[in-house]
Amino acid sequence: EMHGIVMEFSGVRALDGVDFSLRQGQVMGLVGKNGAGKSTLGALLAGAIAPDSGEILLDGVPADRLALAQGTGWVEQDPELVTSPRMTLLEIVAEPLELSRPELPKAEVVERVRRVMREARLPDDDAFLSQRRSSLNGGALQRLALARALITDPAVLIADEPTSALDPSVQAKLLRHLLDLQTERGLTLVLIT
């Protein structure tokens, strides 16, 4: 739940007194014009930023950024902005898991990467995982971002304009796939558009 959320950037209010509730297993769409604060709201839900004022509750308890980050997966609008071109696909997908659970054995990390690659409908063999992101087209890059968001087994998946750079036929497939994952995993899904 969010109560009275306010966010300002350089004196401009991106969010002004936002209140809403999000229930387990729900699909929520955040729709609005560019600059309306949709991505800012998504970043707050993901624990990427903290509000200037207001309260965020998780299961009725005030939630800090770490608690929010651990329970959410974030599919970035532009995956190229948050991934290094020097990293392999395996390293890109594994990074959030290795940061949140550094004690996991490497073999378990690799197995989890393979699982989410299959869930994202990408190859999971060594040859593919050793490639760099430059080898991927737009649809595959977006599915890689999806695998990266799923790697920590989040309860909430936030997809920030996941289809904006894709052609219409690929857009429809990705949206259907997100809804399938929401059902299969019991995810709460937030679609920003």
Side-chain angles (χ1 to χ4, degrees), residues 46-60:
I49 58 175
D52 293 328
S53 65
E55 183 176 43
I56 302 174
L57 304 174
L58 186 60
D59 294 328

PDB file of all heavy atoms in Angstrom, residues 46-60:
ATOM      1  N   ALA A  46       9.627  -0.757  -6.487  1.00  0.00           N
ATOM      2  CA  ALA A  46      10.774  -1.656  -6.586  1.00  0.00           C
ATOM      3  C   ALA A  46      11.850  -1.354  -5.548  1.00  0.00           C
ATOM      4  O   ALA A  46      12.850  -2.071  -5.477  1.00  0.00           O
ATOM      5  CB  ALA A  46      11.374  -1.573  -7.990  1.00  0.00           C
ATOM      6  N   GLY A  47      11.675  -0.302  -4.771  1.00  0.00           N
ATOM      7  CA  GLY A  47      12.682   0.038  -3.770  1.00  0.00           C
ATOM      8  C   GLY A  47      13.911   0.708  -4.351  1.00  0.00           C
ATOM      9  O   GLY A  47      14.927   0.850  -3.668  1.00  0.00           O
ATOM     10  N   ALA A  48      13.835   1.134  -5.604  1.00  0.00           N
ATOM     11  CA  ALA A  48      14.980   1.784  -6.238  1.00  0.00           C
ATOM     12  C   ALA A  48      15.196   3.196  -5.703  1.00  0.00           C
ATOM     13  O   ALA A  48      16.318   3.701  -5.695  1.00  0.00           O
ATOM     14  CB  ALA A  48      14.798   1.818  -7.754  1.00  0.00           C
ATOM     15  N   ILE A  49      14.119   3.830  -5.272  1.00  0.00           N
ATOM     16  CA  ILE A  49      14.182   5.173  -4.692  1.00  0.00           C
ATOM     17  C   ILE A  49      13.249   5.220  -3.483  1.00  0.00           C
ATOM     18  O   ILE A  49      12.381   4.358  -3.334  1.00  0.00           O
ATOM     19  CB  ILE A  49      13.799   6.279  -5.715  1.00  0.00           C
ATOM     20  CG1 ILE A  49      12.387   6.039  -6.278  1.00  0.00           C
ATOM     21  CG2 ILE A  49      14.830   6.380  -6.836  1.00  0.00           C
ATOM     22  CD1 ILE A  49      11.875   7.135  -7.206  1.00  0.00           C
ATOM     23  N   ALA A  50      13.436   6.230  -2.646  1.00  0.00           N
ATOM     24  CA  ALA A  50      12.571   6.428  -1.478  1.00  0.00           C
ATOM     25  C   ALA A  50      11.739   7.686  -1.707  1.00  0.00           C
ATOM     26  O   ALA A  50      12.212   8.649  -2.321  1.00  0.00           O
ATOM     27  CB  ALA A  50      13.419   6.585  -0.218  1.00  0.00           C
ATOM     28  N   PRO A  51      10.513   7.714  -1.202  1.00  0.00           N
ATOM     29  CA  PRO A  51       9.677   8.908  -1.394  1.00  0.00           C
ATOM     30  C   PRO A  51      10.177  10.074  -0.558  1.00  0.00           C
ATOM     31  O   PRO A  51      10.816   9.882   0.476  1.00  0.00           O
ATOM     32  CB  PRO A  51       8.294   8.450  -0.924  1.00  0.00           C
ATOM     33  CG  PRO A  51       8.566   7.361   0.060  1.00  0.00           C
ATOM     34  CD  PRO A  51       9.820   6.682  -0.432  1.00  0.00           C
ATOM     35  N   ASP A  52       9.880  11.295  -1.017  1.00  0.00           N
ATOM     36  CA  ASP A  52      10.181  12.478  -0.213  1.00  0.00           C
ATOM     37  C   ASP A  52       9.307  12.503   1.026  1.00  0.00           C
ATOM     38  O   ASP A  52       9.749  12.890   2.104  1.00  0.00           O
ATOM     39  CB  ASP A  52       9.966  13.758  -1.041  1.00  0.00           C
ATOM     40  CG  ASP A  52      10.963  13.873  -2.176  1.00  0.00           C
ATOM     41  OD1 ASP A  52      12.110  13.401  -2.027  1.00  0.00           O
ATOM     42  OD2 ASP A  52      10.597  14.435  -3.221  1.00  0.00           O
ATOM     43  N   SER A  53       8.056  12.085   0.871  1.00  0.00           N
ATOM     44  CA  SER A  53       7.163  11.936   2.022  1.00  0.00           C
ATOM     45  C   SER A  53       6.096  10.926   1.666  1.00  0.00           C
ATOM     46  O   SER A  53       5.878  10.584   0.510  1.00  0.00           O
ATOM     47  CB  SER A  53       6.552  13.276   2.429  1.00  0.00           C
ATOM     48  OG  SER A  53       5.720  13.784   1.419  1.00  0.00           O
ATOM     49  N   GLY A  54       5.427  10.435   2.699  1.00  0.00           N
ATOM     50  CA  GLY A  54       4.415   9.410   2.527  1.00  0.00           C
ATOM     51  C   GLY A  54       4.919   8.099   3.089  1.00  0.00           C
ATOM     52  O   GLY A  54       6.037   8.000   3.608  1.00  0.00           O
ATOM     53  N   GLU A  55       4.075   7.086   2.983  1.00  0.00           N
ATOM     54  CA  GLU A  55       4.385   5.801   3.597  1.00  0.00           C
ATOM     55  C   GLU A  55       4.098   4.664   2.626  1.00  0.00           C
ATOM     56  O   GLU A  55       3.103   4.675   1.910  1.00  0.00           O
ATOM     57  CB  GLU A  55       3.526   5.644   4.852  1.00  0.00           C
ATOM     58  CG  GLU A  55       3.788   4.402   5.640  1.00  0.00           C
ATOM     59  CD  GLU A  55       2.971   4.357   6.917  1.00  0.00           C
ATOM     60  OE1 GLU A  55       1.757   4.707   6.876  1.00  0.00           O
ATOM     61  OE2 GLU A  55       3.527   3.965   7.943  1.00  0.00           O
ATOM     62  N   ILE A  56       4.999   3.684   2.617  1.00  0.00           N
ATOM     63  CA  ILE A  56       4.803   2.468   1.834  1.00  0.00           C
ATOM     64  C   ILE A  56       4.746   1.310   2.818  1.00  0.00           C
ATOM     65  O   ILE A  56       5.646   1.148   3.652  1.00  0.00           O
ATOM     66  CB  ILE A  56       5.945   2.256   0.818  1.00  0.00           C
ATOM     67  CG1 ILE A  56       6.055   3.451  -0.136  1.00  0.00           C
ATOM     68  CG2 ILE A  56       5.712   0.962   0.028  1.00  0.00           C
ATOM     69  CD1 ILE A  56       7.239   3.391  -1.088  1.00  0.00           C
ATOM     70  N   LEU A  57       3.666   0.523   2.724  1.00  0.00           N
ATOM     71  CA  LEU A  57       3.479  -0.629   3.606  1.00  0.00           C
ATOM     72  C   LEU A  57       3.551  -1.906   2.787  1.00  0.00           C
ATOM     73  O   LEU A  57       3.041  -1.973   1.661  1.00  0.00           O
ATOM     74  CB  LEU A  57       2.126  -0.561   4.303  1.00  0.00           C
ATOM     75  CG  LEU A  57       1.814   0.687   5.112  1.00  0.00           C
ATOM     76  CD1 LEU A  57       0.374   0.651   5.602  1.00  0.00           C
ATOM     77  CD2 LEU A  57       2.775   0.816   6.279  1.00  0.00           C
ATOM     78  N   LEU A  58       4.159  -2.918   3.348  1.00  0.00           N
ATOM     79  CA  LEU A  58       4.224  -4.239   2.745  1.00  0.00           C
ATOM     80  C   LEU A  58       3.599  -5.196   3.742  1.00  0.00           C
ATOM     81  O   LEU A  58       4.097  -5.327   4.871  1.00  0.00           O
ATOM     82  CB  LEU A  58       5.679  -4.612   2.460  1.00  0.00           C
ATOM     83  CG  LEU A  58       5.957  -5.886   1.701  1.00  0.00           C
ATOM     84  CD1 LEU A  58       5.306  -5.866   0.329  1.00  0.00           C
ATOM     85  CD2 LEU A  58       7.467  -6.087   1.543  1.00  0.00           C
ATOM     86  N   ASP A  59       2.504  -5.824   3.370  1.00  0.00           N
ATOM     87  CA  ASP A  59       1.745  -6.683   4.286  1.00  0.00           C
ATOM     88  C   ASP A  59       1.397  -5.948   5.578  1.00  0.00           C
ATOM     89  O   ASP A  59       1.489  -6.497   6.677  1.00  0.00           O
ATOM     90  CB  ASP A  59       2.517  -7.973   4.590  1.00  0.00           C
ATOM     91  CG  ASP A  59       2.664  -8.854   3.360  1.00  0.00           C
ATOM     92  OD1 ASP A  59       1.745  -8.843   2.513  1.00  0.00           O
ATOM     93  OD2 ASP A  59       3.696  -9.542   3.242  1.00  0.00           O
ATOM     94  N   GLY A  60       1.042  -4.665   5.451  1.00  0.00           N
ATOM     95  CA  GLY A  60       0.604  -3.869   6.587  1.00  0.00           C
ATOM     96  C   GLY A  60       1.698  -3.298   7.462  1.00  0.00           C
ATOM     97  O   GLY A  60       1.426  -2.620   8.439  1.00  0.00           O
TER      98      GLY A  60
END
